[in-house]
Amino acid sequence: KVKSQIEEKEGKTFDVFTAVEFKTQVVAGTNYFIKVHVGNDEFVHLRVFRSLPHENKPLSLHSYQSSKTKHDELAFF
C-alpha cells in the first residue's frame, strides 16, 4: 500500500517490492518497520504508520532508509 509513496520519494519505480522482515511499535496507532527487497542486492527500510481504527486514515509512509543490504539490521528509526 505504500509502494507508490516510496517510488515518488525516490523518483524511480521498483520492479521488485517484497517485504522480508518487519517489527512493530505501538504508539497512538502502530509504527511498522519493514525491510523491503527492491531488486538485485538492494533493500530499503520503511517506517509505515497505521493510525487508530476510529481515525479511518490510510497507511502512510513516515520515513525510510535506502541503500540497505540484506544483512543490515532492521532497527527502529
Side-chain angles (χ1 to χ4, degrees):
K1 294 192 177 205
V2 297
K3 181 181 181 200
S4 62
Q5 293 175 51
I6 185 74
E7 288 176 334
E8 183 178 328
K9 289 184 182 290
E10 282 286 291
K12 59 184 174 183
T13 58
F14 298 110
D15 293 332
V16 176
F17 199 81
T18 307
V20 295
E21 182 181 349
F22 78 95
K23 295 180 179 182
T24 61
Q25 176 187 40
V26 177
V27 289
T30 305
N31 282 322
Y32 293 91
F33 297 87
I34 308 166
K35 181 186 290 188
V36 179
H37 179 227
V38 293
N40 299 319
D41 293 327
E42 192 176 345
F43 290 77
V44 294
H45 292 183
L46 308 178
R47 179 176 169 186
V48 176
F49 179 71
R50 172 175 273 158
S51 63
L52 294 171
H54 72 276
E55 294 177 341
N56 200 26
K57 294 182 180 176
L59 289 176
S60 63
L61 177 64
H62 186 272
S63 58
Y64 68 97
Q65 298 174 336
S66 56
S67 301
K68 294 294 190 173
T69 69
K70 180 179 182 178
H71 302 291
D72 285 336
E73 180 183 355
L74 180 61
F76 298 104
F77 60 93

